[in-house]
Amino acid sequence: VGPLIMGIKNLCFSSDGRYLAASALDDDHSIAIYDMNAAKKGGAIAPIASGKGSRAVLFSLTFNPAGNQLVSTGVNEVNFYSFDGGRFTKKTGTGMAIKTTVLSSAFVGETLFTGCLTGEIMQWAGNAMKSANKSHTAKVSALFAKDN
């Protein structure tokens, strides 16, 4: 439904279940965000915001804990999207000390961690990489964080 006409690559829900984000298989890896509360009330399932993701292949989508920002990971990049008032805006992550494919992402509290093809786990402060630590001998293809 909506702008994602070439098939779906990734899906993720916000932690409160209100939003669903999806990325497409088109050349721009388009992203659409849906308000599931509207769907629960019998409303149409239509995107509340959408736009171009990245020309690089996307490997994961993750909402921040507040559910008002979406993060995508991909080949040599991490991107941060806001979608206030239906306006879809992208900020590219900065300070990546290593060029590597970023495969996975998870928030621990307000802090974002991303897992890399080369075994590093990166810690982020806002959209800037704070540190990268070699944490695994192989790729970090999944990250999961659970509140205590």
Side-chain angles (χ1 to χ4, degrees):
V1 178
L4 309 181
I5 57 174
M6 298 288 292
I8 304 296
K9 165 92 177 177
N10 298 292
L11 292 170
C12 83
F13 282 95
S14 60
S15 61
D16 64 1
R18 177 175 180 185
Y19 297 114
L20 170 66
S23 68
L25 292 168
D26 61 9
D27 290 341
D28 291 318
H29 301 100
S30 298
I31 295 173
I33 298 172
Y34 301 86
D35 186 340
M36 300 310 291
N37 285 346
K40 290 177 191 174
K41 295 175 184 172
I45 299 176
I48 59 166
S50 63
K52 292 180 179 181
S54 171
R55 296 293 289 178
V57 174
L58 300 183
F59 289 103
S60 75
L61 296 174
T62 305
F63 279 99
N64 70 346
N68 61 3
Q69 184 180 62
L70 182 70
V71 177
S72 72
T73 65
V75 177
N76 296 328
E77 63 184 47
V78 176
N79 293 303
F80 299 80
Y81 308 90
S82 61
F83 51 96
D84 293 332
R87 188 172 153 201
F88 191 77
T89 349
K90 172 179 149 182
K91 284 186 182 177
T92 301
T94 62
M96 283 181 59
I98 53 173
K99 288 290 181 189
T100 183
T101 297
V102 185
L103 300 171
S104 55
S105 55
F107 278 88
V108 176
E110 296 295 321
T111 304
L112 174 67
F113 292 88
T114 56
C116 302
L117 181 67
T118 49
E120 288 83 12
I121 294 179
M122 296 178 182
Q123 181 178 350
W124 295 80
N127 72 321
M129 192 190 78
K130 183 177 176 182
S131 64
N133 298 296
K134 184 73 170 176
S135 303
H136 203 279
T137 57
K139 63 186 176 184
V140 182
S141 58
L143 289 172
F144 178 76
K146 183 179 182 226
D147 289 336
N148 290 334

